[in-house]
Amino acid sequence: MLTLEKITKHYNPGSVNEMCLFDGFDFTVEDGEFVSVVGSNGSGKTSLLNLICGSIDTDGGRIVVNGQDITRRQAYVRHRKIGRVYQDPSKGTCPSMTILENMSLADNKGRHYGLRKGINKSRTAHYRELLSQLDLGLEEKLDTRVGDLSGGQRQAMALLMSTMTPIDFLILDEHTAALDPRTAEIIMKLTDRIVREKKVTTIMVTHNLRYALEYGSRLVMLHEGKVIVDRSGEAKKRMDTEEIMAIFNRISVECGN
């Protein structure tokens, strides 16, 4: 279980642009949940993910995972048990390395490196099998530089690589936003399959309201660092895009937009 307790986060402290995004923010994600997070720009969606992953520090409060306080734990330590897929496909893979080299790198996540070969040839068949599940023909292109692949192929690889080793959390940061509609659909179906098969606790930030409704077990809407909608189970299933848009429009009017 992941718990954020009384989180406080300021941006640009001491300046005329100082902003308090989170002020006593509480948030809990139960084991096995697939949480879709929506909200307008500046609502705190990406900041929430960055706090969990350790990319930014809290100014106050605690982040607790399975009873352990990880608030001051360094990002690289957290990432041993966190898989993250970014909006930009280039961030989840190394473009100058081959598919085989990228797969090998992901396969050794969290392990100590020594003066040995980075590629274990005995694992090649395993990599081919994993890649074949993507149904993109990448299993026949192990020697191809990842930088030569399409954005969709790279994002599919990033998603696969992020879950190759045992993880507690999968963090999806608008991972379909940079893709064309057809490719985005493929990536979302792949995401759903991987989450279900691995039973990994998942938090997905998205601007696509249909994806937020169609996928996952819980929907959360943020606004100005606060949770204003939190639906799961049957309550989430009863929601539709019109209802979410009505909430967005009401917020927009209240903010004077």
Side-chain angles (χ1 to χ4, degrees):
M1 184 171 72
L2 167 71
T3 304
L4 281 73
E5 302 175 353
K6 307 301 180 186
I7 296 297
T8 302
K9 180 61 186 178
H10 291 80
Y11 285 100
N12 307 310
S15 74
V16 295
N17 296 317
E18 181 174 354
M19 179 189 69
C20 180
L21 178 59
F22 294 116
D23 186 9
F25 178 75
D26 292 320
F27 188 66
T28 298
V29 179
E30 300 289 343
D31 292 342
E33 280 193 313
F34 183 168
V35 185
S36 298
V37 181
V38 299
S40 57
N41 291 334
S43 62
K45 303 185 303 297
T46 297
S47 291
L48 172 64
L49 301 187
N50 286 335
L51 286 167
I52 294 169
C53 294
S55 303
I56 59 175
D57 295 326
T58 65
D59 295 325
R62 298 198 311 157
I63 301 174
V64 181
V65 174
N66 299 328
Q68 293 187 339
D69 188 338
I70 66 166
T71 311
R72 300 304 168 197
R73 191 167 293 177
Q74 293 175 296
Y76 77 89
V77 177
R78 300 188 199 190
H79 275 265
R80 291 171 183 167
K81 290 297 183 179
I82 294 177
R84 186 170 185 176
V85 184
Y86 298 86
Q87 177 177 338
D88 184 352
S90 67
K91 288 187 176 181
T93 55
C94 183
S96 62
M97 298 171 67
T98 66
I99 292 176
L100 177 60
E101 290 167 338
N102 271 266
M103 295 290 285
S104 298
L105 196 63
D107 198 18
N108 285 282
K109 176 183 175 181
R111 298 180 185 176
H112 294 288
Y113 286 86
L115 296 176
R116 64 180 187 273
K117 291 183 178 180
I119 298 176
N120 184 348
K121 291 295 180 69
S122 66
R123 298 284 287 170
T124 302
H126 175 61
Y127 300 153
R128 287 185 188 277
E129 181 181 356
L130 290 177
L131 289 165
S132 67
Q133 296 173 15
L134 301 179
D135 199 25
L136 296 173
L138 297 179
E139 68 275 12
E140 303 300 330
K141 301 179 179 180
L142 290 181
D143 294 326
T144 300
R145 289 174 64 256
V146 171
D148 295 333
L149 302 178
S150 68
Q153 289 173 322
R154 293 178 70 170
Q155 201 69 318
M157 272 197 65
L159 183 59
L160 178 63
M161 290 164 56
S162 69
T163 57
M164 280 180 65
T165 56
I167 57 175
D168 293 328
F169 301 99
L170 176 61
I171 303 296
L172 306 172
D173 190 358
E174 298 186 46
H175 70 309
T176 62
L179 307 176
D180 64 77
R182 178 179 176 277
T183 305
E185 293 288 343
I186 293 172
I187 296 300
M188 277 309 308
K189 289 179 181 177
L190 174 63
T191 299
D192 188 54
R193 193 185 80 205
I194 288 176
V195 170
R196 290 176 183 274
E197 288 178 354
K198 295 184 176 290
K199 298 179 173 61
V200 60
T201 305
T202 303
I203 303 174
M204 176 180 74
V205 164
T206 180
H207 280 294
N208 190 309
L209 300 183
R210 181 171 65 82
Y211 290 164
L213 289 169
E214 184 175 344
Y215 297 96
S217 58
R218 179 180 170 195
L219 185 147
V220 170
M221 181 183 289
L222 293 179
H223 177 61
E224 295 182 345
K226 298 179 179 63
V227 174
I228 61 170
V229 175
D230 192 345
R231 306 276 182 88
S232 58
E234 290 301 318
K236 176 181 181 292
K237 291 179 181 178
R238 288 194 296 268
M239 295 188 75
D240 54 30
T241 54
E242 286 76 15
E243 181 179 354
I244 301 179
M245 281 304 303
I247 298 172
F248 268 115
N249 291 335
R250 187 183 74 238
I251 291 171
S252 181
V253 171
E254 291 173 354
C255 293
N257 296 327

